[in-house]
Amino acid sequence: MLARQRQAMILDEARRTGAVRVSDLVDRLGVSDMTVRRDLDVLASRGLVEKVYGGATTVTTMSTHEPGFEAKSVRQRAQKEAIAAAAAGLIRPGTAIGMSAGTTTWTLARALGPIPGLTVVTNSIRVADVLRGSGESDRTVVLTGGVRTPSDALVGPVAVQSLRSLHLDIVFLGVHGMADGPGFTTPNLTESETDRALVEAGRKLVVLADHTKWGMVGISTIADLTEADVVVSDEGLADDARSILREHAGELLIARVDSPAGAHE
């Protein structure tokens, strides 16, 4: 059995029962104690379980819980940089793009330097700060108004109204979670309304989501899986998730960490 298959079985059991014991997993999977512990280390590093003495428990993630920007910015940094490089390869010079708030879109903003003549519309204070500080004289940055959220997004009626009057070539959407059924979700009700307005303003939707976002479900749906023209994720994305996304989304790009910029499969 492949490591990824073992880890999926361990996670399923943890979610079903609330906790797993190393000794029980050794007997069930027919592998060594060290192998099970390594699998638990991998799942814990992805934020899917919490290691305890003798085993692990599931991580309780409330559908309305939203970590702040600083807390999220240190997670899966290498994967986000690979995703950003692959996403930047989808942008042609002279286009109008939209960018939602989030640490992955913020990472993408830092990768836009070589692309000339862009107009960027965003409701993210962090994204706007990066772009305005880049010193690109041929770049136009439009920051919506609104109320500030923990992820430094500007949301609410002012943001929605400004987005509804715009027409964008590509929208890059960062999400809290993605899953079969709920689709792409956020833990912030007001932010979901603003993000939906951003999605509706674009002719093409590109969702940026590292592998840990699969199976996470926020309280509000931004878009269905079928609405994404492209989903960009990383090599850690499980096989079942890849199958579902390839079935429902227009295209799935898997960015490779430690590969040439923009390399993907």
Side-chain angles (χ1 to χ4, degrees):
M1 185 182 298
L2 297 175
R4 185 177 291 169
Q5 293 173 307
R6 285 197 314 272
Q7 291 157 17
M9 290 180 64
I10 292 170
L11 182 59
D12 286 344
E13 181 66 13
R15 286 174 171 170
R16 187 178 67 83
T17 63
V20 289
R21 294 180 180 274
V22 171
S23 57
D24 293 339
L25 294 172
V26 167
D27 292 339
R28 179 176 177 182
L29 299 174
V31 295
S32 68
D33 177 281
M34 288 300 297
T35 297
V36 170
R37 292 184 186 277
R38 282 196 296 269
D39 287 338
L40 292 178
D41 284 339
V42 171
L43 292 172
S45 71
R46 293 166 57 186
L48 299 174
V49 301
E50 181 177 351
K51 292 187 69 180
V52 296
Y53 182 76
T57 61
T58 52
V59 175
T60 302
T61 305
M62 295 179 291
S63 62
T64 56
H65 175 65
E66 182 177 14
F69 183 93
E70 300 300 338
K72 292 188 289 185
S73 66
V74 299
R75 300 176 182 174
Q76 286 74 48
R77 186 174 294 172
Q79 288 84 357
K80 290 174 182 177
E81 289 176 353
I83 289 168
L90 302 175
I91 305 173
R92 295 181 178 179
T95 55
I97 67 173
M99 299 177 67
S100 73
T103 54
T104 311
T105 49
W106 173 73
T107 305
L108 172 59
R110 297 161 64 195
L112 296 182
I115 308 172
L118 294 180
T119 296
V120 183
V121 176
T122 184
N123 68 322
S124 168
I125 296 170
R126 301 278 185 153
V127 167
D129 283 346
V130 168
L131 296 173
R132 285 175 172 166
S134 66
E136 300 292 335
S137 59
D138 62 344
R139 180 168 298 160
T140 301
V141 181
V142 179
L143 179 65
T144 69
V147 179
R148 189 170 183 169
T149 70
S151 60
D152 283 338
L154 297 176
V155 302
V158 173
V160 169
Q161 186 60 37
S162 63
L163 289 168
R164 283 179 175 164
S165 65
L166 300 175
H167 306 281
L168 306 171
D169 297 307
I170 308 177
V171 167
F172 292 92
L173 178 69
V175 297
H176 169 78
M178 56 179 175
D180 190 15
F184 303 107
T185 60
T186 174
N188 188 301
L189 284 169
T190 311
E191 190 165 347
S192 69
E193 182 182 12
T194 303
D195 282 346
R196 279 196 289 270
L198 181 61
V199 169
E200 290 168 3
R203 291 191 295 123
K204 181 176 183 178
L205 174 61
V206 180
V207 176
L208 311 180
D210 69 75
H211 68 276
T212 65
K213 303 298 178 67
W214 183 258
M216 299 283 286
V217 179
I219 192 172
S220 184
T221 295
I222 303 167
D224 293 332
L225 297 183
T226 55
E227 293 181 65
D229 295 287
V230 182
V231 176
V232 188
S233 191
D234 63 85
E235 295 168 291
L237 190 67
D239 289 340
D240 61 337
R242 297 188 191 203
S243 297
I244 292 169
L245 287 170
R246 285 186 173 123
E247 179 183 353
H248 294 289
E251 183 180 4
L252 173 64
L253 298 182
I254 300 297
R256 299 199 300 269
V257 177
D258 298 327
S259 292
H264 57 78
E265 58 182 84

